[in-house]
Amino acid sequence: MSKKATIREAINSALDEALRTSAQVFLLGEDLADPAAGVNAVTRGLALEHGHDRVLNTPISEAAIVGAAVGASLEGMLPVAEIMIMDFIGIAMDQIVNHAAKLRYMSAGRTTSPITVRAVVLEGSGAGGTHSQSLEGWFMHIPGLKVVYPSTPADAKGLLLSSIFDPDPVLFMEASRLYGKRGPMPTEDGFRIPIGKADVKRQGRDITIVTYGPATWEALEAAEALSAEGIEAEVVDLRTLLPLDLETVLASVAKTRRAVVAHHAVTFGGPGAEVASQITEALFNELVEPVVRVGAKFSPIPARASEAAVTLGTGDIVAAVKKVAGAVRV
Amino acid sequence: MSKKATIREAINSALDEALRTSAQVFLLGEDLADPAAGVNAVTRGLALEHGHDRVLNTPISEAAIVGAAVGASLEGMLPVAEIMIMDFIGIAMDQIVNHAAKLRYMSAGRTTSPITVRAVVLEGSGAGGTHSQSLEGWFMHIPGLKVVYPSTPADAKGLLLSSIFDPDPVLFMEASRLYGKRGPMPTEDGFRIPIGKADVKRQGRDITIVTYGPATWEALEAAEALSAEGIEAEVVDLRTLLPLDLETVLASVAKTRRAVVAHHAVTFGGPGAEVASQITEALFNELVEPVVRVGAKFSPIPARASEAAVTLGTGDIVAAVKKVAGAVRV
Amino acid sequence: MSDIAQLTSSQLSSMYEVMCKSQALELRILKGMRSGEFATIIWPARGQEAVAGALSLALRPDDRLITTYRGLHDHVAKGVPLVEIAGEVLGTSVGACKGKGGTMHIAAPEQGLMMSTGIVGSGLPVGVGLALAARFQKSDRVTAVTFGDGATNTGSFHEAVNLAATWKLPVVFVCQNNLYAEMTPVEETMAIPHVADRAKGVGMPGITVDGNDPVSTYLAIRGAVDRARAGEGPTLVEAVTFRFEGHYAGDQMKYIPAEQLEEAKKHDPMITFRETLLSHPEITEEHLAAIEARAAQEVDEAVEAAKAAPQPDAAEIERDVYAERLVAGNV
Amino acid sequence: MSDIAQLTSSQLSSMYEVMCKSQALELRILKGMRSGEFATIIWPARGQEAVAGALSLALRPDDRLITTYRGLHDHVAKGVPLVEIAGEVLGTSVGACKGKGGTMHIAAPEQGLMMSTGIVGSGLPVGVGLALAARFQKSDRVTAVTFGDGATNTGSFHEAVNLAATWKLPVVFVCQNNLYAEMTPVEETMAIPHVADRAKGVGMPGITVDGNDPVSTYLAIRGAVDRARAGEGPTLVEAVTFRFEGHYAGDQMKYIPAEQLEEAKKHDPMITFRETLLSHPEITEEHLAAIEARAAQEVDEAVEAAKAAPQPDAAEIERDVYAERLVAGNV
Ligand SMILES: Cc1ncc(C[n+]2csc(CCOP(=O)(O)OP(=O)(O)O)c2C)c(N)n1
Ligand SMILES: Cc1ncc(C[n+]2csc(CCOP(=O)(O)OP(=O)(O)O)c2C)c(N)n1
Ligand SMILES: [Mg+2]
Ligand SMILES: [Mg+2]
């Protein structure tokens, strides 16, 4: 069974299923309980349905939010902590990186910290430099973590449930600009998307656009525009950055022999560098052109409408694809 | 004039010169004032010489240490904040990333935050997972910051002075395993190494090893071993990760047509991915083999002697070079 | 209203003027947003004007202030030109930060408004650094940092107030306790009766005042400023107040009980202070009306100028990432 | 020594045994390091044994404890097998964490020792989470978190104690105030006379006790544990003590004034508590000597076993990064 739902509803539905099916699951974060249910209304109704003792409003204490989640997880709980806006995650960095990510290894498996941290990227709101960052690259670099960033309602639901019940700590990213995005969403309990599996969102023979999260939509838009010009781009939505589904990426690039990596994170030092390096190391002799990366420009993000001058747009992807594939085909 | 000095002495000498020549400069951090002068004795004598009001012992409050540095810098001071061990920098992340890095941009240049944050990498001590990380990759990804990581006494002195007097915030990295490393160090005031200039530490025609910080020494050792086998590696010490001196890197790789990137940071999602991507994008047609990266394995770092099983060693670089250049020449 | 006799009529009027400008500015922006005249975001301080009035009188021009996203009233208090505030809110090039910073990130160092932050609690350590610089520079200027009740739950708050107390720095911490942090009431996030009790944990004086009364708020802040200037160290002043527009412009405030809102409205400082002023022998209705009219006019002019200005151009957007454009590094 | 009559001789003996084992273990490791028998690092708790004795008696086996890098005494207190402690310190495969964690990161959940952290202050939020889990799981177990004086300057401390107080969680915060944080004396980093005053800032009881006296420390911690178990919320207990080996093994302690060290030595809990015990009618010299001999022997056996064990092998080093080895991702 499936229905049309927004990503907001899909996340809500995943949280609801998790709370309903496991007494280990609880949510904690700022303002997320009803009646307010958060600035983004993602958690609406969950406290009313499952109790305010399982959907916990916290003080503004990101280190303690994640730290308390870590502690509870050591006892077998499955906490889902919310970082309201990803730019605040620095405050919880020590708990995520030095504790959640490492406790399994440092205890030789005697303690584990299967927390889920939901972090919301606010880019697109125009709120400015400290409320717009896509910092997933930091977490990809940390052994022990998993990093998930869905682009559709079904993926969001299936991946969030997988994250919550995953035995390892997961950073689950949400783009607030996608909350209203509608699409089919399975309604039956038990639906899952496995962590670590990319998804080919569009088939194409000429070039592969490797992407994830909100950039998936710009990539698809770019692919349509390019199709009109005779370039057929394949769009691979990674869905998970860590672990990275290289198999799917390489299968696509082996076919197209050209690749662009696109994301909203800053290009320099970002996730795209890893993806491009992996593609190049594996398919050096198959590649016709070097992999090109597009992302946010190397600048803090300005406020209001100026934001768009710095952040990734469909046009950036189109231009990158033309750079890589254009000469050959058009 | 120049004398032999350790990196510890070189950093001390740079801090001394900065304190002596500018009333704007002050130091703050945990335990760094005499008589203790820090766990690493890097700041020995500075409080006695320049006063305990300019070399400030702080509480264990990394967010406030960097935050206070940011505030003082807004008033024209040139604070040098110490993060005793880099693994603790998460706690100060918000101040570095959301404040120091962005205040110039977000105020359109009306306020600036020319702080220097000295962060010490303790890898090599065997202290375990939370006291061994090389996290420079996080900071390379943040527009507004500069990231410096020297490998010799002269570079350490010249770059630290450049960092302190640089108009932008600088993360200055120190490897505690290199503190005892001796080499020539200019003694006259005013000696500087410019930020953003790499240094060819060894000439070679067959392959370029791009590296920085402590890995520079393993790269040089690897180059000697390889030389005995007939492979002449050029060793480019980046010295600065942000800005990145691509010109020097590309000039070398254009000549050797092969490159390995080596660092102590975890390979996956690390600085090497950016360097490799840049080389590949620029020199795709000149490269004979894909750029190969070596760094720490994808694991938290185990304690004691087991550390070496996960961290970068000379052998890793030798093996990588042979993979890239071996087939051709040996 | 207490202690009004300790202030001159011109001091009282000047506080009222700041409050009127703040109120008028926010209402004008809200009107523009609601009518579709322009799009932006603000976190209105409507209801908290008394604190701004108090700050404006308690701080010297060379004193420093750090505020937050909910800081338009504080900007007005510190004398940031209205057009710079409005411009920054609208994202145009006449803004304090040429439109690049946005509502949350207004800085105007010429007026001593050194930073506004969008990260709750993070202004406090920075304020401690400003105060430390004053000590290094042998200046007797004082730094004030304002923040909300919710901010006192952050680690940054604790590290900063502890450092300031330990180093006896010339800084005044002004908590604008508006009883909510976003949608969460203050009693759900702390187990102390007064935010000012936080001071006991670090060894500095803590004072709770009626933050709807500009006079008592002024006296409390002024006392703390004098103490700081005299080298006696920091103080935590808690001004208890309320915000009438919710967390952000457009917030429906469903989480606020009707009785609480109704009760709070009785203490709207714009109304109660006006009444108090009218009871002053030297202050007339005409005088207040003139202040209000001037505020409205200045605000109108500022908003028109902000609207008329262009967005920052491409060159401006590229500027200020670093002191100089990076030459090396193909970023 | 106070209140000794409130404890049975077997309770007193059991505290003394924990203290003896802790002391013997640390001294044995220090000897091995100094003689070159093996290389490692420890942050000795020598001098702080009374707190460990108190914890051992105050906590139930199913209660939880979180400690720090300076935690060998706490591990002993919670019943972690000596060979697991010694093995972890030496980095061999019989260690609690198979040698992968190291001295700083010992975990032994079977004994309720849920985490040791090397990041100052970071154990507190995790301890709050343990207590929260107990509430979810409807268990009456209590969590204790121990940490140093310096840790109370961290933001993590504040966020954690505030959350615990607000949620009235069953957790006891035990500050082992040894008067120094690394090389910095406590009075240089805070402006309060007692660390326990921190409790006032978040609304929980704060108690200062003589941390060199196991009996009064036990009574204070026990009271807090009972309170927590009864659902009355958290307590901050400050046990004032001293560390005789400096921050790390090998620390020359030049920063400690000679008189202070001399004075502190007079209160060495291993000496003073022994004297107290001997004044007890039921406790004889022979009894204590037997405890000491047993401690020495158990420690010796543990260290020999730890030394004899191999380092973790390559397969072990690769294990436990994730629940399963990552198949995807060429990391
Ligand atoms: C570190 C951090 N966490 C969360 C937020 C999101 N947030 C913005 S305002 C706010 C509430 C702040 O409450 P308070 O300090 O009382 O200030 P007020 O808005 O009431 O003036 C929150 C949680 C943030 N900006 N920064
Ligand atoms: C966040 C953090 N900052 C700094 C350090 C370095 N460091 C290790 S122990 C220590 C002193 C801690 O003092 P205290 O809390 O009093 O505990 P004690 O060592 O005296 O038991 C410091 C600064 C650290 N481990 N973590
Ligand atoms: Mg508030
Ligand atoms: Mg201590």
Side-chain angles (χ1 to χ4, degrees):
Chain A
M1 285 284 291
S2 168
K3 68 169 188 182
K4 282 258 180 185
T6 62
I7 289 193
R8 178 183 286 111
E9 289 159 351
I11 294 171
N12 186 285
S13 157
L15 295 171
D16 176 63
E17 177 178 334
L19 285 162
R20 194 158 31 75
T21 57
S22 166
Q24 271 70 57
V25 174
F26 70 97
L27 318 187
L28 75 172
E30 294 152 15
D31 305 298
L32 45 69
D34 302 296
V39 253
N40 290 310
V42 171
T43 47
R44 176 141 303 154
L46 297 175
L48 290 175
E49 179 71 22
H50 302 285
H52 279 80
D53 51 345
R54 294 187 68 204
V55 179
L56 297 164
N57 272 353
T58 65
I60 306 173
S61 304
E62 281 80 7
I65 292 169
V66 177
V70 169
S73 74
L74 296 181
E75 301 281 12
M77 301 296 293
L78 297 172
V80 184
E82 178 179 293
I83 299 292
M84 186 190 292
I85 303 178
M86 179 170 226
D87 309 65
F88 314 152
I89 207 163
I91 298 161
M93 210 67 187
D94 175 65
Q95 287 295 342
I96 299 175
V97 169
N98 286 326
H99 295 86
K102 295 183 174 49
L103 287 177
R104 175 190 293 276
Y105 188 82
M106 296 197 308
S107 71
R110 292 180 79 178
T111 59
T112 65
S113 187
I115 64 168
T116 302
V117 177
R118 293 177 43 238
V120 183
V121 173
L122 204 67
E123 194 213 285
S125 78
T130 65
H131 278 59
S132 308
Q133 295 167 90
S134 297
L135 298 169
E136 58 273 19
W138 286 354
F139 301 90
M140 259 180 97
H141 190 43
I142 302 300
L145 296 180
K146 294 181 178 175
V147 182
V148 170
Y149 202 164
S151 69
T152 68
D155 288 352
K157 179 172 180 180
L159 281 164
L160 181 50
L161 281 159
S162 294
S163 300
I164 294 171
F165 294 106
D166 193 271
D168 293 304
V170 180
L171 177 73
F172 183 88
M173 306 214 7
E174 302 172 13
S176 70
R177 71 191 319 153
L178 292 188
Y179 276 145
K181 204 92 192 167
R182 295 185 82 77
M185 178 195 82
T187 50
E188 72 281 7
D189 277 7
F191 168 72
R192 300 283 187 276
I193 301 282
I195 292 180
K197 288 272 164 267
D199 185 40
V200 178
K201 287 276 192 303
R202 183 186 196 278
Q203 308 273 349
R205 63 173 183 246
D206 298 326
I207 186 165
T208 303
I209 306 175
V210 186
T211 187
Y212 60 87
T216 306
W217 293 99
E218 282 117 13
L220 289 169
E221 204 173 88
E224 286 311 307
L226 289 158
S227 177
E229 300 187 37
I231 303 176
E232 292 302 332
E234 182 143 309
V235 176
V236 177
D237 176 3
L238 291 170
R239 299 198 293 199
T240 307
L241 287 168
L242 173 58
L244 194 62
D245 181 1
L246 262 188
E247 215 178 314
T248 303
V249 172
L250 296 181
S252 174
V253 181
K255 177 178 75 175
T256 60
R257 303 182 61 194
R258 291 174 179 85
V260 161
V261 189
H263 54 51
H264 280 263
V266 166
T267 307
F268 191 83
E274 182 61 40
V275 176
S277 295
Q278 297 266 8
I279 294 173
T280 309
E281 284 179 45
L283 298 175
F284 186 67
N285 292 320
E286 283 77 11
L287 282 173
V288 178
E289 293 282 330
V291 182
V292 163
R293 301 169 291 147
V294 274
K297 297 204 175 58
F298 202 68
S299 167
I301 296 181
R304 315 289 339 120
S306 302
E307 192 184 32
V310 167
T311 57
L312 179 81
T314 301
D316 298 318
I317 304 180
V318 170
V321 167
K322 286 194 179 168
K323 191 169 149 194
V324 179
V328 188
R329 197 158 286 275
V330 187
Chain B
M1 286 282 293
S2 169
K3 68 169 188 183
K4 283 256 180 187
T6 62
I7 289 193
R8 179 183 283 110
E9 289 160 349
I11 293 170
N12 186 286
S13 157
L15 295 171
D16 176 64
E17 177 179 333
L19 285 162
R20 194 158 30 74
T21 57
S22 167
Q24 270 71 56
V25 174
F26 69 99
L27 318 187
L28 76 171
E30 293 152 15
D31 305 298
L32 47 68
D34 302 296
V39 252
N40 290 309
V42 170
T43 47
R44 176 140 304 154
L46 297 175
L48 291 174
E49 179 71 24
H50 303 285
H52 280 79
D53 51 344
R54 295 185 68 201
V55 180
L56 298 164
N57 273 353
T58 65
I60 306 174
S61 304
E62 282 79 7
I65 291 169
V66 177
V70 169
S73 74
L74 296 181
E75 300 282 12
M77 300 297 292
L78 296 171
V80 184
E82 179 179 291
I83 300 292
M84 187 189 291
I85 303 179
M86 180 169 224
D87 308 66
F88 314 152
I89 207 163
I91 298 161
M93 211 64 187
D94 175 64
Q95 286 294 341
I96 298 175
V97 169
N98 285 327
H99 294 87
K102 294 183 176 47
L103 287 177
R104 176 190 292 278
Y105 188 82
M106 295 197 306
S107 71
R110 291 181 80 179
T111 59
T112 65
S113 186
I115 64 169
T116 302
V117 177
R118 293 177 43 239
V120 183
V121 173
L122 203 68
E123 194 214 284
S125 78
T130 66
H131 278 58
S132 308
Q133 295 165 92
S134 298
L135 298 169
E136 59 273 17
W138 286 355
F139 302 90
M140 259 180 98
H141 190 42
I142 302 300
L145 295 179
K146 295 180 178 175
V147 181
V148 171
Y149 202 165
S151 68
T152 69
D155 288 352
K157 178 171 180 179
L159 281 165
L160 180 49
L161 282 159
S162 293
S163 299
I164 294 171
F165 294 106
D166 193 90
D168 291 305
V170 180
L171 177 74
F172 183 88
M173 306 215 7
E174 303 172 13
S176 70
R177 71 194 316 155
L178 292 188
Y179 276 145
K181 202 93 192 166
R182 294 186 82 79
M185 178 194 82
T187 51
E188 73 279 8
D189 276 7
F191 168 71
R192 300 284 187 276
I193 301 281
I195 292 179
K197 287 269 163 269
D199 185 40
V200 179
K201 287 277 191 301
R202 184 188 195 277
Q203 307 274 348
R205 61 172 184 245
D206 297 326
I207 186 166
T208 303
I209 307 175
V210 186
T211 187
Y212 59 87
T216 305
W217 294 100
E218 282 117 12
L220 288 169
E221 206 172 88
E224 287 311 307
L226 290 159
S227 177
E229 300 188 36
I231 301 176
E232 291 303 333
E234 181 144 308
V235 176
V236 178
D237 176 2
L238 290 171
R239 300 198 292 199
T240 306
L241 287 168
L242 174 56
L244 193 63
D245 181 1
L246 262 189
E247 214 177 315
T248 302
V249 172
L250 296 182
S252 174
V253 181
K255 177 177 74 175
T256 61
R257 304 183 58 194
R258 290 173 181 85
V260 161
V261 189
H263 54 52
H264 281 262
V266 166
T267 307
F268 191 83
E274 181 61 39
V275 175
S277 296
Q278 296 267 6
I279 293 172
T280 310
E281 285 179 44
L283 298 175
F284 186 67
N285 293 320
E286 284 76 10
L287 283 174
V288 178
E289 292 281 331
V291 182
V292 164
R293 300 169 291 147
V294 274
K297 298 203 174 58
F298 202 68
S299 167
I301 296 181
R304 314 289 341 120
S306 302
E307 191 185 33
V310 167
T311 56
L312 179 80
T314 302
D316 298 319
I317 304 180
V318 170
V321 167
K322 285 192 179 167
K323 190 170 150 195
V324 180
V328 187
R329 197 157 286 272
V330 187
Chain C
M1 296 267 164
S2 64
D3 301 316
I4 185 167
Q6 299 189 41
L7 274 71
T8 66
S9 70
S10 92
Q11 286 178 314
L12 294 166
S13 299
S14 100
M15 288 208 288
Y16 187 62
E17 180 157 354
V18 163
M19 294 167 65
C20 285
K21 283 185 188 165
S22 167
Q23 181 189 34
L25 177 63
E26 289 198 345
L27 294 183
R28 176 67 185 81
I29 294 169
L30 290 170
K31 194 181 104 190
M33 290 173 70
R34 281 172 194 149
S35 67
E37 183 184 355
F38 44 72
T40 186
I41 4 176
I42 68 168
W43 295 267
R46 180 69 271 285
Q48 303 182 192
E49 289 87 354
V51 187
L55 282 168
S56 72
L57 200 60
L59 296 177
R60 285 195 328 216
D62 68 332
D63 286 338
R64 308 309 200 208
L65 182 62
I66 285 185
T67 184
T68 69
Y69 50 91
R70 194 181 314 287
L72 299 191
H73 60 325
D74 295 335
H75 302 134
V76 173
K78 204 69 184 75
V80 181
L82 295 178
V83 64
E84 291 194 19
I85 307 175
E88 203 53 38
V89 169
L90 298 194
T92 62
S93 56
V94 295
C97 309
K98 301 199 173 140
K100 296 197 291 190
T103 309
M104 271 202 256
H105 302 120
I106 292 178
E110 283 80 352
Q111 284 83 35
L113 196 296
M114 300 305 287
M115 185 175 92
S116 309
T117 183
I119 308 292
V120 172
S122 291
L124 285 101
V126 179
V128 169
L130 298 178
L132 180 60
R135 174 173 293 174
F136 274 118
Q137 293 163 350
K138 304 204 188 334
S139 162
D140 72 345
R141 67 177 184 261
V142 166
T143 296
V145 189
T146 98
F147 50 87
D149 43 291
T152 72
N153 298 321
T154 67
S156 292
F157 167 87
H158 177 68
E159 293 194 1
V161 293
N162 184 60
L163 189 62
T166 304
W167 289 355
K168 276 199 154 203
L169 289 172
V171 52
V172 178
F173 299 104
V174 180
C175 177
Q176 307 196 23
N177 178 359
N178 57 18
L179 310 185
Y180 284 86
E182 293 205 339
M183 292 83 192
T184 303
V186 62
E187 62 275 9
E188 268 189 39
T189 65
M190 57 189 82
I192 43 175
H194 303 289
V195 170
D197 294 340
R198 296 268 192 243
K200 295 179 192 161
V202 294
M204 69 169 74
I207 306 168
T208 301
V209 288
D210 176 358
N212 296 324
D213 173 5
V215 175
S216 35
T217 305
Y218 163 73
L219 292 172
I221 296 179
R222 179 60 196 262
V225 166
D226 289 348
R227 222 184 137 254
R229 210 179 310 281
E232 290 161 29
T235 306
L236 173 60
V237 178
E238 172 194 11
V240 183
T241 175
F242 205 79
R243 22 143 257 216
F244 291 119
E245 297 288 337
H247 174 52
Y248 54 88
D251 181 352
Q252 295 307 305
M253 298 191 279
K254 291 195 183 133
Y255 52 89
I256 302 185
E259 323 75 70
Q260 188 185 29
L261 192 58
E262 204 178 308
E263 176 62 27
K265 286 209 166 139
K266 291 188 196 142
H267 304 286
D268 184 335
M270 297 311 301
I271 298 169
T272 56
F273 190 45
R274 194 178 203 282
E275 283 163 8
T276 307
L277 288 174
L278 283 177
S279 73
H280 191 284
E282 294 164 32
I283 296 179
T284 62
E285 169 66 37
E286 293 67 46
H287 177 63
L288 298 185
I291 290 175
E292 291 153 10
R294 192 160 60 240
Q297 195 195 330
E298 285 182 27
V299 160
D300 253 355
E301 286 168 12
V303 171
E304 290 310 320
K307 274 172 57 188
Q311 285 181 20
D313 62 20
E316 184 56 52
I317 294 293
E318 286 182 16
R319 233 190 316 269
D320 299 323
V321 182
Y322 294 91
E324 296 175 15
R325 285 209 61 174
L326 290 191
V327 282
N330 191 12
V331 292
Chain D
M1 295 270 165
S2 63
D3 301 315
I4 187 166
Q6 298 190 41
L7 275 72
T8 66
S9 71
S10 94
Q11 286 178 315
L12 293 165
S13 299
S14 103
M15 286 208 289
Y16 186 61
E17 180 159 353
V18 163
M19 292 168 64
C20 284
K21 284 186 189 165
S22 167
Q23 181 190 33
L25 177 63
E26 289 198 345
L27 294 183
R28 176 67 185 82
I29 295 169
L30 290 170
K31 194 181 106 193
M33 290 174 69
R34 282 174 193 147
S35 68
E37 183 185 354
F38 43 73
T40 187
I41 5 177
I42 67 167
W43 295 268
R46 180 68 271 286
Q48 303 182 192
E49 289 87 353
V51 187
L55 282 169
S56 72
L57 201 59
L59 296 178
R60 285 194 329 215
D62 69 331
D63 285 339
R64 309 308 201 209
L65 182 61
I66 285 185
T67 184
T68 69
Y69 49 93
R70 194 181 312 289
L72 299 191
H73 59 326
D74 295 335
H75 301 135
V76 173
K78 204 71 186 71
V80 181
L82 294 178
V83 63
E84 290 194 19
I85 306 175
E88 202 54 38
V89 168
L90 298 193
T92 62
S93 56
V94 294
C97 310
K98 304 200 172 140
K100 298 197 291 189
T103 309
M104 269 200 260
H105 302 120
I106 292 177
E110 283 80 353
Q111 285 82 34
L113 196 297
M114 300 305 287
M115 184 176 92
S116 309
T117 182
I119 308 292
V120 172
S122 291
L124 286 103
V126 178
V128 170
L130 298 178
L132 180 61
R135 174 172 294 174
F136 274 118
Q137 294 163 349
K138 304 205 188 331
S139 161
D140 72 345
R141 67 177 184 263
V142 165
T143 296
V145 190
T146 98
F147 48 87
D149 42 290
T152 71
N153 298 322
T154 66
S156 292
F157 167 86
H158 176 69
E159 293 194 2
V161 292
N162 184 60
L163 189 62
T166 304
W167 289 354
K168 276 197 152 207
L169 289 172
V171 52
V172 178
F173 299 104
V174 180
C175 178
Q176 308 197 22
N177 178 1
N178 57 16
L179 311 185
Y180 284 86
E182 293 205 340
M183 292 82 192
T184 303
V186 61
E187 62 274 12
E188 268 190 38
T189 65
M190 56 191 82
I192 43 175
H194 303 290
V195 170
D197 293 340
R198 296 267 192 242
K200 297 178 191 161
V202 294
M204 68 169 74
I207 307 167
T208 302
V209 286
D210 177 359
N212 296 324
D213 173 6
V215 176
S216 34
T217 305
Y218 164 73
L219 292 172
I221 295 177
R222 178 61 198 261
V225 167
D226 289 349
R227 222 185 138 253
R229 211 178 310 280
E232 290 162 29
T235 306
L236 174 61
V237 178
E238 172 193 11
V240 183
T241 177
F242 205 78
R243 23 145 255 218
F244 291 120
E245 296 288 338
H247 174 53
Y248 53 89
D251 182 353
Q252 295 307 305
M253 298 191 280
K254 291 197 183 132
Y255 52 90
I256 302 185
E259 321 77 68
Q260 188 184 28
L261 192 57
E262 204 178 308
E263 176 62 25
K265 287 207 166 140
K266 292 187 198 146
H267 304 287
D268 184 335
M270 296 312 301
I271 299 170
T272 55
F273 189 45
R274 194 178 204 284
E275 285 163 7
T276 307
L277 289 174
L278 284 176
S279 72
H280 192 283
E282 295 164 29
I283 297 180
T284 63
E285 170 66 35
E286 293 66 46
H287 177 64
L288 297 186
I291 289 176
E292 290 154 10
R294 192 161 60 240
Q297 195 195 328
E298 285 183 25
V299 160
D300 253 356
E301 286 168 12
V303 171
E304 290 310 318
K307 271 172 59 188
Q311 285 182 20
D313 63 18
E316 183 55 52
I317 295 293
E318 285 181 17
R319 233 190 316 269
D320 299 324
V321 182
Y322 294 91
E324 297 175 14
R325 284 209 61 174
L326 289 192
V327 281
N330 190 13
V331 292

